[in-house]
Each structure stands twice: as C-alpha cells, then as structure tokens.
Amino acid sequence: MDDPELKATLDRITGRAERPRHALVRFSFLRLMGFVYAFAFLGATQQLPGLIGPGGLLPADDHLARLRAMHGGTGAAFLERPTLFLLTGASDAALLAVAWVGLALGLAVLGGVTNAAVMAALWVLQLSLMHVGQVFWGYGWELLLLEAGFLAIVLCPLTSARPLPNEDVPRVLVWLLRWLAFRVMFGAGLIKIRGDPCWQELTCLAHHYETQPIPNPVSPLLHALPMWVHQAGVLFNHLVELVVPFFLFGPRRLRIAGGLLTVAFQAVLLVSGNLSFLNWLTIAVTLAAFDDRFLARVLPRRLAPPVDPPPPSKPRRVAVWAVAGLVLLLSVDPLMNLFAFDQRMNASFDRLHLVNTYGAFGSVGRVRHEVILEGTRDDPDDPDATWRAYALPCQPGDPSRAPCLRAPYHPRLDWQMWFAALSDYERQPWIVHLVHQLLTGEGRARELLAHDPFGDEPPRAVRASLYRYRFAPLSSDGWWERERVGDYLHALEADDPRLAAFVESYGWD
C-alpha cells in the first residue's frame, strides 16, 4: 500500500497499532547535541590558553608529562587517558585547533548534518579536552556529553549526512537513551536525599538560589519567594527525580508524561541559574521518552520523517547490538552505585566514560562566600592602603553589578572560584598561580578577567579576600550585600620567597 494516509486510516479502523517511529526523535536529539557541542567548544576557544595552555593556570603539558611519568611512556599513558594531546602536545595552537574544529563540527550538526563520522570526531575532541582539562573540565556535564555523544555516533548512518536519513532508528538505541536519562535524574534525586537533610526537610530552595555557583538575574526573585513555594519546589524536585524516571520505561502515555515533566523541570532550572549546558543536555536525552507521532504535533510540518524507512544494514545492526551489550555490561557498576550507601556523584567507571553515574547539589550551602582578588600599589602592611578588586565575567564582585546570564556558555574560572571558596588555596593551588601571574604580568590567565584595574602595570601586592554575600532586598538599588570576612590568601608581593617556593614546587616558574 503506497498511500501513507490511507494506510494510517485503515490502521485506525482495524485497530492495528502503528509501530513507534523515532526519526524525529533522532533529528531533535542530534540538533540539541550540536547546540551543546557548539557552546562547549565555543567556550574552549575563548578560555583554553588562560586555563590550560602553556601560559595558563594549570598547563596541560605539565599534566601530560606527569601522565607519561606515572604510566611509563606515551603509549601506556594514552591507553589510560586517551587524548590527542599526548600525540600533538598541548601548545596554544594545538588546543585552539581542537576547539575551533569542534565548534565548526558542532555548528554543522546543529545545522542538520547527521553522520556517524562527524559525531565520532566530536566525541574524540571532547574526550581529548576532558583528559587534559583537569579541574576546569571536571564537571558532571562533561561526562554526560561524552556518554550521550557516544550514543549519538551509533544513532547516525556512516554514508549519509541528511538531517532525516532514510533509515529506521533501532529501538534499542532509544532504550539506551532512556536508560541514560533515568540515571541522570534518579542519580540526582538519590544524591540529594542522602546528601543533605534540607532536601528531606523541604528547605533547600530557601538557600539554593543565593548560594548556587553562578546565579542569574532571575535568582534573586526566586530567592524572595515565600517558604511554602520553596517547599513545593522541593516536592516537585523529588517527584521528577525520584518517581518520574520510572515513567520512562512505562506505557506510551506514562512515558510521554514523564518526558514532559522532566523537560518542564529542566526549563525551570534554565530560568533559575547558570548551570552551563547541563539542562540542555538533559533535555536532549529526555527526548527519547517521545516518539514521532508526538513530536510531529510540535515540530514544523516540513520535517516529515521517511515513510516506512528500511531497516539499517546488517553491519549497522551488528554494531548497534554490540554497543547495547557493551552499555549493559558497563552499567553494572553505575547501577550498584545508585543503591550504595556512599553513592558517588558524577563518577566514571571506565576509561572512555561510556557509562557513568550522575548527581547534582547533594549538599546545599547555607551561606555564600566569595574569593575576591584585590591588588594595591601601596604598602600592603599599611592599614590605609587602597585595594582594588579584579573582576571575573560572572562571579559576584561589585555588589551593584547585576548577575550574569551565560548558560549554556560555561565560564570555567568563575565556576572554579566558587569551589575555591568552599575549601582553601592548598586544595585549589591554581589560585596562587593566578596571583603570581597578576603580580608579574606574565602568563595568559589575565585574559579570563572581565576587568584588570591595573592594566599593563602590575600592582605591588595582591591578596585574596573572603567575603560573605547576600542578595540585597528587591527594593534596593543594588543586587548584593557583602561584608569582608577575612583573608583567604594573605597579601603577597612578586619577590615574596614563600610565593616563589610555592610556584616552583608545582613547576610553574
């Protein structure tokens, strides 16, 4: 029967259920993957030299040298931590080449390219950056991008680049995406219940909007909501993260309801703060809860999927089932971790990060502290010295400056400064290297700043001050209120022998 409309009518009359199709699911998932890849690599083009380049805060070449020494050579290091930079070195040119190629390929996928080789190239580039990025690439969404990116490779044909390939989507791949979405959401729910009593007391959201890593302009409004709204928000969080994930494996209507609730939850998170590309990526994998019949109602009519597409070739089917078997095997440890008392958050159990465990905000801060870098041209021991602050693009600094809106772009130094305030400089030694570069005028980390009050002439001394920040009342002119708590890192001068010894101990001199 060649007339698809007549066939659909006869199917409805006879009661025959149409087999679910997922061509539009694949189309939408890949476009969102291209969107996420594009922003991930866009951020890399702007930040790599200052973060991990030869003049950066944690030079990747030093990290690669340690890997070679630890594992006994380049070959063994590559098997343990695969990265192109073990072969090319991590010069600024090599790092930026990977970033710009990744950006170009991500935009191509966003524009409609659907090809396994392109997706494989993006996956290799992301893996290469993650394995040299150290703490600046040590976030859960980097793992999620690799796992989702690996499945995206198998979803695409190798010999076509069309947005809607004339090839059926293997249902097992859709189930693997649902399994990934389940682990992302359920893992996040479990880590909250186990990690902080405020999630059980329904009070976490009374603090979260203020103390999250990078608030946005909407965050103060949400923070000011009454307690009952925050409590309802926590209950909604528990529903979506602990109950709804099981809907993904249920009947069609339940599955679609679960998908809609999860997407709505991610939309709320997008509005409430700057969580990099995590929420966009979670929405992408959640699309597997839907099918073409549902998506056809919300997507433009011109995106007509192929009618009765042929099944994948036999080699493709063999590859798909091999991947499914591999994912099943690698899922044992992440599954056991979900139900472990000491559940690990955002952890990988294999060298290629193909199946991981996830979680977010297992603990919520009650107080917001910020490490603010300040410099002076006066005697640092003079109590009347004038200290002027350096500014990062998104870190709360000047209380009168509005919070930024950056997601899905990820300002990595700003994020890591938030983590620095939760510990000390000995656990975040790169911050001492940053102070050293500000004092000497050397290196490229200053390129990551939004404002350097001293220009090309370095200050006499730099210190890191710890401030307590609170949202200002909505009726006030400013965005923040703050008070200085004390020194995070005492004032240092360029010729301070303690600074020289610290920097030399890490090989940064």
Side-chain angles (χ1 to χ4, degrees), residues 64-271:
L64 294 172
R66 290 192 294 271
L67 284 178
R68 291 187 182 98
M70 184 185 306
H71 299 291
T74 297
F78 188 88
L79 291 176
E80 187 66 29
R81 301 285 286 179
T83 173
L84 295 174
F85 300 111
L86 277 167
L87 309 177
T88 66
S91 65
D92 283 342
L95 291 167
L96 289 174
V98 163
W100 282 108
V101 171
L103 174 58
L105 293 178
L107 290 173
V109 173
L110 176 60
V113 171
T114 303
N115 180 267
V118 171
M119 299 309 302
L122 282 164
W123 185 84
V124 168
L125 298 179
Q126 166 68 9
L127 181 71
S128 295
L129 278 182
M130 185 176 168
H131 279 173
V132 296
Q134 302 161 84
V135 295
F136 297 114
W137 265 259
Y139 305 104
W141 47 80
E142 311 293 347
L143 292 173
L144 181 54
L145 183 54
L146 282 173
E147 184 169 352
F150 178 71
L151 295 178
I153 298 171
V154 197
L155 269 171
C156 297
L158 184 61
T159 58
S160 170
R162 297 165 52 189
L164 287 164
N166 189 29
E167 174 190 277
D168 199 12
V169 178
R171 292 191 68 186
V172 66
L173 293 179
V174 178
W175 282 97
L176 292 182
L177 284 173
R178 291 172 187 168
W179 170 230
L180 173 54
F182 174 89
R183 282 182 286 114
V184 170
M185 299 304 296
F186 193 58
L190 288 178
I191 205 75
K192 290 180 175 67
I193 290 295
R194 292 169 172 156
D196 195 322
C198 72
W199 289 111
Q200 299 180 38
E201 297 163 359
L202 309 184
T203 59
C204 275
L205 292 184
H207 313 287
H208 164 75
Y209 300 116
E210 183 177 76
T211 63
Q212 64 179 308
I214 303 181
N216 69 15
V218 180
S219 303
L221 302 176
L222 297 174
H223 179 70
L225 292 172
M227 177 57 76
W228 71 267
V229 178
H230 294 316
Q231 292 172 331
V234 175
L235 286 173
F236 181 61
N237 180 100
H238 293 336
L239 169 68
V240 176
E241 292 188 339
L242 293 171
V243 179
V244 168
F246 292 93
F247 293 5
L248 301 178
F249 305 114
R252 181 176 183 270
R253 289 185 179 180
L254 192 63
R255 189 174 66 248
I256 288 175
L260 290 173
L261 284 168
T262 303
V263 170
F265 178 64
Q266 296 303 318
V268 172
L269 296 178
L270 282 169
V271 171

